[in-house]
Amino acid sequence: MRITWIQPEDLLVHELRQSADEGRDVAAVAEAWRDAGGSPTIPHGGASQPPASAELRALAGRLLDRLATLPSRTAADEPDGLAEIRAITSAADSPAAVDVMDLRERVRGGWLGRAAGCLLGKPVEKIPREGIREILEATGRWPLRGYFTARGLPAEVAERWPWNRASAATSLVEVIDGMPEDDDLNYALLALYVLERHGAGFTTEDVAAAWLALLPAGRVFTAERAAYRNLLEGYAPPETATVRNPYREWIGAQIRGDVYGWVRPGDPWAAAALAWKDARLSHTRNGLYGAMYVAAMTSAACVASGVEEVLDAGLSVVPPRSRLAAAVRDARALAASGIGFEKGVDRLYESYGDLHWVHVLNNAALVTLALALGRGDFADSVCMVVSGGWDTDSNGATVGSVTGTLAGAAGLPGEWTGPLNNRLASSMPGFDGVGFDELADRTVAGIS
């Protein structure tokens, strides 16, 4: 068995791109790797390269360590420290008023929306945008308006674009029976666990301890897998985010922020600060900002009347000259231009299509475009973002969370929430089979 996302030859190829993005001169390292016979690229959609010889793997490890010593450009526009981030952002200092009677229904809508949006994207995770469209057209379901089905799918299309192996058995409309286990929901549960155990004063070390106690190693990926390995090797945060972790600006932290917004309703900066404490275990720079962006949006969605307020709140906690802020502004400008979703996504692929499909920048831009064009409508928004490709289940979850919170549970269509059967499967001890109503109650009870 070859464990993915963690072998030195895989890490090196991703680190060459990450280091270049941070302004390091990687040319000599890339040349040394090529001269030794190493492949400079990862296959599209893949986590790993072909197995390397012992000698090549050892060289990859040495080159990774060499990259870590190279100077990067100044982080003034993209700081990691919370105080430094706060100093250059525009988030409001005072929280908005909260309607306590309305809050539980909004939070329950957020949990349900997160699950339904994730479930929509699960069977087509890793399938590129053109494959998603071909599947839908072949089954007479384009544009996307509900959960995917294999009914009527021609064999040649199914062979060309196979469903995600881990998800097809539980996430096609003909087999859905409750919300199946998914890392996008596990991390939300873990955030709730940390808040219940430690309160809002939790530390990054508390999050790390919860990971080791509750998260199976096989259910963490990319930056989280690298950070998990670093914890086992004795590193402490924030080194866990940087040692041999080329995924530190990928989407992993962005999928972990929702609950921190729900427990700080109407206070986007406070929500973002909680998300930062969680995210710094595994991410830096724009990886941190993705988590903060989502937490601020779910916080605002607890009190806002429209999605533009939510998007404004999200952007207010992101360093304004960062690459994430630029990606969010790009997407909002596309939405405002009247270009429409399909042509808007074309433009995003032109700008960000060279990034890995689980990088934070492309996915945050796609999430933003779908939210802006969906205008708060749950079905329109989640269907657009999943149709756009890249990290379909994570983006569906985030967009579903934000729009579900805005709408509240009663505002979500029954065809989306009914199949969930008020039941969530999880590999997190103590949470398997939990109901979304219980999760809403526990989340609101944790507000202090």
Side-chain angles (χ1 to χ4, degrees):
M1 181 178 71
R2 185 174 189 273
I3 300 175
T4 58
W5 301 115
I6 211 72
Q7 303 297 345
E9 62 269 25
D10 301 336
L11 298 174
L12 178 63
V13 176
H14 291 302
E15 184 58 55
L16 286 168
R17 172 61 191 266
Q18 177 61 35
S19 286
D21 286 346
E22 293 175 354
R24 294 185 174 93
D25 183 356
V26 304
V29 173
E31 182 179 5
W33 180 240
R34 285 193 301 268
D35 288 348
S39 172
T41 60
I42 294 286
H44 177 74
S48 61
Q49 302 198 78
S53 65
E55 293 78 10
L56 199 58
R57 179 168 291 177
L59 173 63
R62 293 194 297 273
L63 293 176
L64 276 168
D65 295 339
R66 180 174 165 188
L67 284 171
T69 68
L70 298 178
S72 63
R73 66 170 173 268
T74 177
D77 290 340
E78 293 184 343
D80 288 333
L82 188 63
E84 291 77 11
I85 294 170
R86 184 69 184 98
I88 59 176
T89 54
S90 60
D93 290 317
S94 55
V98 177
D99 181 342
V100 178
M101 297 296 291
D102 179 53
L103 182 60
R104 181 190 179 276
E105 278 303 287
R106 292 225 188 187
V107 171
R108 188 162 73 98
W111 276 107
L112 286 166
R114 181 162 187 79
C118 177
L119 185 56
L120 176 64
K122 278 173 73 66
V124 292
E125 185 183 12
K126 298 185 183 180
I127 296 178
R129 180 185 174 204
E130 62 270 22
I132 295 171
R133 179 159 185 166
E134 185 174 357
I135 288 169
L136 291 168
E137 288 179 336
T139 53
R141 296 167 68 87
W142 178 265
L144 179 62
R145 295 304 303 165
Y147 294 118
F148 285 85
T149 181
R151 295 177 183 136
L153 184 65
E156 64 272 17
V157 177
E159 183 177 359
R160 186 159 47 250
W161 308 112
W163 303 114
N164 181 281
R165 290 194 309 272
S167 301
T170 57
S171 55
L172 298 175
V173 69
E174 54 266 32
V175 295
I176 295 172
D177 182 17
M179 177 64 198
E181 189 267 354
D182 191 273
D183 60 324
D184 290 274
L185 275 296
N186 282 345
Y187 285 116
L189 298 174
L190 190 134
L192 180 59
Y193 169 89
V194 168
L195 288 162
E196 288 181 333
R197 188 175 181 88
H198 302 285
F202 73 88
T203 65
T204 306
E205 288 74 13
D206 293 328
V207 178
W211 279 26
L212 294 176
L214 300 177
L215 281 180
R219 297 302 297 145
V220 295
F221 309 96
T222 65
E224 287 72 20
R225 184 166 290 182
Y228 201 108
R229 176 211 61 212
N230 286 338
L231 287 170
L232 294 176
E233 291 183 355
Y235 291 98
E239 281 187 298
T240 45
T242 56
V243 175
R244 293 194 177 188
N245 181 5
Y247 318 117
R248 55 193 177 271
E249 289 193 285
W250 287 22
I251 200 175
Q254 184 165 288
I255 72 175
R256 306 192 329 241
D258 305 59
V259 174
Y260 300 118
W262 295 329
V263 299
R264 287 293 178 267
D267 195 347
W269 175 254
L274 293 180
W276 175 88
K277 289 195 289 184
D278 182 310
R280 69 190 287 267
L281 178 58
S282 53
H283 286 73
T284 64
R285 299 196 186 191
N286 295 278
L288 293 171
Y289 313 151
M292 298 172 74
Y293 178 57
V294 169
M297 286 199 292
T298 58
S299 169
C302 289
V303 300
S305 58
V307 77
E308 289 299 319
E309 296 174 59
V310 170
L311 290 167
D312 287 344
L315 192 57
S316 77
V317 304
V318 177
R321 291 182 297 276
S322 67
R323 286 166 287 152
L324 189 94
V328 168
R329 289 193 296 266
D330 285 350
R332 294 187 74 178
L334 286 171
S337 73
I339 194 172
F341 184 71
E342 284 299 311
K343 290 184 178 178
V345 177
D346 288 342
R347 295 280 292 275
L348 292 184
Y349 273 73
E350 290 171 8
S351 298
Y352 303 103
D354 62 326
L355 296 172
H356 194 278
W357 63 274
V358 290
H359 200 282
V360 73
L361 297 181
N362 48 351
N363 286 290
L366 183 57
V367 161
T368 302
L369 182 67
L371 285 170
L373 289 176
R375 296 180 173 85
D377 181 274
F378 173 83
D380 285 351
S381 303
V382 295
C383 288
M384 279 193 285
V385 82
V386 170
S387 298
W390 286 326
D391 196 345
T392 52
D393 64 330
S394 295
N395 291 340
T398 297
V399 169
S401 174
V402 172
T403 54
T405 306
L406 269 173
L412 295 177
E415 63 266 28
W416 291 98
T417 59
L420 300 177
N421 292 330
N422 194 32
R423 187 175 68 251
L424 169 62
S426 179
S427 53
M428 289 272 293
F431 283 101
D432 189 40
V434 68
F436 294 100
D437 49 0
E438 178 185 338
L439 290 172
D441 288 340
R442 290 169 65 173
T443 304
V444 172
I447 297 172
S448 58

